[in-house]
Amino acid sequence: MAPRKLAAGNWKMNGDLAALSQIDALITARPDPGCDVLICPPALLIQPMKARIGAHPIALGGQDCHARAFGAHTGDIAAVQLKDAGADYVILGHSERREYHKEFDVLVNAKAKAALTAGLKPIVCVGETLAQREGGQTDKIVGDQIAGSLAGLDNNQLKDMVIAYEPVWAIGTGKTATPEQAQEMHAFIRSEITESHGEDVAKAIRIQYGGSVKPANARELLSLPDVDGALVGGASLEVRSFTEIITNTLN
Ligand code: PGA
């Protein structure tokens, strides 16, 4: 059976307490979303959002965590602290973390292990730059990111995880992968996981597409056979566009 789709909003470094009203609007717009809905706000907003969400079916996630459970790491957040605040997921290895914080697969792997230990579902982001795509290196780059980020994780851990394929050239640029490019990469990622962890795990794991997902392109992208949801940046900041995307994940 295909996994339940996941529509996730990555707010990045946007939003404040006043933006909590977005949650009320989201609940009103889609009281029964029909797919899993996740918001990853700035970490400070997780706890007040959780209080606002109550029993409604909207999950919360962090945008990063530290690989260690506690200690002298000024400015960092531990996975267990995200869990304590009300998160169920955490985005790891986003291309903005890889680029601006020089994160690499070994670190993403350590963070994924910390997240799983804390009871969080990691969303591991992978994707190639434009230069890598044009240089014919896409499969190698994404294959290495998958292998490095998932190293040492067992089948049960993997089934709980999410992979987000986010071509770097499509993030925040208004350019999206064509349906052919997206399907090709999602099928490639699934085949890599089949090889490393077997078919059952590869079928169970959710592979989201991310990169300029908008209401206008969501239906086409989200109906592709190997696309199990969307990781949405800019268009998740407005309830109206995020709700439209949620609606389009249901087909
Ligand atoms: P975008 O961001 O939808 O604004 O392109 C996606 C992401 O970075 O997860």
Side-chain angles (χ1 to χ4, degrees):
M1 201 174 76
R4 196 170 148 90
K5 288 188 180 176
L6 173 62
N10 173 11
W11 281 22
K12 309 191 179 185
M13 202 171 67
N14 297 294
D16 52 17
L17 289 174
L20 291 180
S21 59
Q22 298 273 68
I23 293 294
D24 301 338
L26 189 57
I27 291 167
T28 312
R30 300 275 336 160
D32 175 16
C35 63
D36 289 348
V37 174
L38 166 68
I39 309 273
C40 298
L44 277 173
L45 294 181
I46 292 176
Q47 200 177 17
M49 270 195 186
K50 185 75 184 174
R52 201 88 164 216
I53 288 168
H56 292 283
I58 299 173
L60 293 172
Q63 298 174 10
D64 178 47
C65 70
H66 199 275
R68 293 190 186 269
F70 60 91
H73 300 286
T74 304
D76 282 314
I77 300 177
V80 50
Q81 293 172 317
L82 291 173
K83 182 75 185 171
D84 192 42
D88 286 313
Y89 291 80
V90 61
I91 298 171
L92 296 175
H94 189 280
S95 65
E96 287 151 15
R97 302 286 318 173
R98 290 178 187 266
E99 184 179 353
Y100 305 132
H101 296 262
K102 304 290 168 245
E103 296 198 358
F104 43 91
D105 298 324
V106 174
L107 183 62
V108 174
N109 182 243
K111 290 182 175 198
K113 287 175 179 160
L116 287 161
T117 302
L120 294 176
K121 296 180 173 66
I123 300 177
V124 170
C125 301
V126 297
E128 79 289 356
T129 63
L130 188 58
Q132 289 162 341
R133 175 165 279 270
E134 287 175 351
Q137 292 174 285
T138 302
D139 285 6
K140 163 95 179 98
I141 293 292
V142 172
D144 286 353
Q145 288 174 337
I146 295 279
S149 305
L150 307 185
L153 298 177
D154 67 28
N155 287 4
N156 274 339
Q157 290 173 313
L158 231 68
K159 276 182 184 165
D160 255 355
M161 291 181 54
V162 180
I163 307 287
Y165 170 61
E166 299 205 303
V168 180
W169 47 271
I171 295 176
T173 58
K175 291 182 192 147
T176 30
T178 63
E180 293 72 30
Q181 287 170 327
Q183 172 54 30
E184 190 188 353
M185 286 314 295
H186 281 238
F188 169 73
I189 291 167
R190 218 179 284 285
S191 75
E192 292 288 286
I193 294 171
T194 304
E195 222 167 87
S196 60
H197 289 81
E199 206 176 327
D200 284 356
V201 176
K203 274 190 187 148
I205 198 165
R206 289 186 285 192
I207 308 175
Q208 293 182 297
Y209 172 81
S212 297
V213 175
K214 309 272 180 241
N217 58 27
R219 184 177 296 281
E220 197 171 23
L221 287 164
L222 294 166
S223 61
L224 296 167
D226 283 296
V227 176
D228 304 314
L231 182 55
V232 186
S236 73
L237 294 173
E238 244 219 19
V239 171
R240 206 163 137 197
S241 50
F242 191 49
T243 309
E244 266 187 68
I245 292 168
I246 291 171
T247 304
N248 286 338
T249 67
L250 299 176
N251 52 20

